[in-house]
Amino acid sequence: MEKANAWTTYEGKDLVKLTDLNEDYKEFLSNGKTERECVRQSVALAKKAGYKDLNEMIASKTPLKTGDKVYRVWMEKTIVLFQIGKEPLEAGLNILGAHIDSPRLDLKQNPLYEDTEMALLDTHYYGGVKKYQWVTLPMALHGVVVKKDGTKIELSIGEKEDEPVVGITDLLIHLSGKQMEKKASVVIEGEDLNVLIGSRPLKGEEKDAVKKQMLDLLKEEYNIEEEDFLSAEIEVVPAGKARDFGLDRSMVMSYGQDDRVCAYTSLVAMLNVEAPQRTSCCVLVDKEEIGSVGATGMHSKFFENTVAEILALSGDYNDLVLRRTLANSYMLSSDVSAAFDPNYPAVMEKKNSAYFGKGLVLNKYTGARGKSGSNDANPEFIAKLRKIFDEEGVAFQTAELGRVDIGGGGTIAYIPASYGMNVIDCGVAVLNMHAPWEITSKSDIYEVEKGYEAFLTHCK
Ligand SMILES: [Zn+2]
């Protein structure tokens, strides 16, 4: 059951491909810190690979045929791509599904205030975070502000070298006696995650002079007025680019690798596949970190509706065909797994843990307290995948998320599984998961991309 470290198996040409993939991946991460930014980049890459906007084909009732490549974006935060295969759609799709939302701090709707001549922004954290990790870091503001007339202002402040950063302060160690005695879950409390953005008062103002100066600046530089925060979606994220990690450059450190590491590799695999037997599909969704809810999460009917549109344009839509298409599909729920951390061996069970360098991770189940809430994949499906990965030379390992009863987690896997299709969690192992800076192994990223391509091409 011991697996070789994939690094020891590479020849020169593997290393060239591995490096190229990881360079492009880092670029994607550095330019994709929100769902919208990831969707925008995905559309650009898809268009370059010959994909067309499905909405235009729906509008013009253009029929779909074998070999056609289409994408559809929903509310700028979710994207799904299809390449029509040689087999009828009713035979099922091969689907890669990942999420492009990541833990962060969202601005509240009424965020801006002044306290003791400092301007601050109030936040509400998004997803599961250890709040104490998010203080004393350079942070950037990304997002969109929608004016009453519908015009949108795109924001990205704090990424370029000459742009200012913002951030959350922490108490100096000298006065932290009481704070240091607190439980880690309350050392920094949610309501105290306030982002410091300014300290310079407007001349001649008596009350809230720093806030007024800040409002002047927002108006001048970005055309934003205070009331515009009511219809804004601004995410406070770690500032800075993805970069190589480790003296041997064998790893990547970046914000947002859960789950953009699987989203990016799924997208690359999707765009690399040509003329598949079964129709290929790649769906990158929003809102996984808060339960896959909302119009852009996996629970949304967006995905099912889009498969219905694909069937309609292929001249084969009715409710029964739609249900059969979904039930006959195979899906890899491309999501991250916890990497074994030698600093914290106690939370892992060594035989069933994911390790850096051992390739793609299959998680038969996730969940907590007796697998509760997990999609427990079928061995028949796992057997198919084992065969494909072995035949295509893809390094893979199997794991579960920590020791029994230590904790747990979930993914989108159980949602498409409710159509009756075979789904399994399959992705990259991550260190520091949900921390501002997460770490992955470059060889795992390379193996996962290969594995996703092999799945789209050979799973039947
Ligand atoms: Zn996550």
Side-chain angles (χ1 to χ4, degrees), residues 98-110:
H99 68 92
I100 46 176
D101 61 316
S102 293
R104 68 206 181 223
L105 311 173
D106 284 339
L107 291 196
K108 289 188 182 182
Q109 278 194 286
N110 182 7

Side-chain angles (χ1 to χ4, degrees), residues 127-144:
V129 296
K130 288 177 162 182
K131 296 173 205 91
Y132 64 79
Q133 293 178 332
W134 293 72
V135 296
T136 70
L137 291 173
M139 303 289 274
L141 299 171
H142 287 245
V144 59

